[in-house]
Amino acid sequence: MSGSLLREYEIMQNPALGANALWGFTQGFVSRPHEELQSLTLWHLVTVLPLLYHDTSRKIILKKRESSGLRSILERDLKNSVAQNETVFNINNRIKALQDRTFRSLNLALACNLISLEEGYFFSNISFKIPSTIPVETKNILKAAQKLGGWAGGMSDFEYLTILGVEP
């Protein structure tokens, strides 16, 4: 492996990055106006790392405006040789592949009180801020996490999971 590829692999293996990504997603999710607030479930959280650790999905999320909403990642980009929604269609396999890493990251986020669990739903009262001194790749993961959380917080569980094509 080349040096930069090995470094990226090591970053992605780090449960602390996953915990921060889940925290960023949670903060984006709960940032919705109180009357619009949905309940954050485990189903939401298991989709985060498979979307953010997948380079194409992450880039598509970052490229879209927050006001565009989650459906915008399914639009076909004519400049892209692959339809953008093809990156989402394989999410079920990626959820299974990243299941252990997701749960290690979630356990760490809970242990560090970044995310709390109450009556089966997740929330966070700790403000999320992306540090300025982190590598660009890490910063992009955290930015995408917060944006994805904001999108997810504005829709029902069913709508969010259906758009992504998640099979329970």
Side-chain angles (χ1 to χ4, degrees):
M1 275 192 204
S2 71
S4 63
L5 186 58
L6 181 60
R7 177 159 163 60
E8 184 176 338
Y9 176 78
E10 289 170 349
I11 288 171
M12 299 294 188
Q13 294 296 318
N14 185 346
L17 174 60
N20 278 284
L22 294 174
W23 178 30
F25 178 86
T26 302
Q27 280 294 304
F29 192 96
V30 300
S31 68
R32 305 294 297 186
H34 200 31
E35 61 275 357
E36 293 179 19
L37 203 54
Q38 302 290 323
S39 297
L40 179 58
T41 67
L42 185 59
W43 277 109
H44 289 101
L45 294 177
V46 298
T47 64
V48 175
L49 299 186
L51 286 169
L52 301 181
Y53 284 6
H54 186 258
D55 190 52
T56 305
S57 300
R58 180 177 60 253
K59 286 179 180 175
I60 291 169
I61 292 167
L62 288 170
K63 189 169 85 170
K64 300 297 180 178
R65 287 189 219 120
E66 277 191 49
S67 61
S68 299
L70 182 65
R71 280 187 174 76
S72 68
I73 70 171
L74 299 177
E75 296 169 357
R76 186 174 180 107
D77 183 356
L78 298 177
K79 296 176 189 170
N80 197 347
S81 61
V82 176
Q84 290 178 178
N85 58 4
E86 290 177 26
T87 64
V88 177
F89 289 147
N90 198 21
I91 192 164
N92 292 300
N93 290 334
R94 291 199 316 262
I95 287 172
K96 287 176 187 159
L98 289 172
Q99 175 179 308
D100 290 342
R101 196 165 318 148
T102 296
F103 288 125
R104 279 195 308 272
S105 297
L106 181 57
N107 283 335
L108 183 59
L110 289 166
C112 294
N113 294 317
L114 300 175
I115 297 175
S116 301
L117 177 65
E118 191 173 298
E119 297 181 16
Y121 297 107
F122 296 90
F123 64 95
S124 178
N125 292 324
I126 298 174
S127 296
F128 178 76
K129 186 169 189 265
I130 299 173
S132 59
T133 59
I134 59 175
V136 173
E137 195 70 24
T138 302
K139 192 178 285 189
N140 286 340
I141 289 170
L142 299 178
K143 282 180 184 176
Q146 200 166 14
K147 185 183 289 185
L148 182 63
W151 289 340
M155 54 185 57
S156 70
D157 304 357
F158 178 77
E159 185 179 14
Y160 175 74
L161 297 172
T162 302
I163 289 171
L164 294 178
V166 175
E167 297 171 359

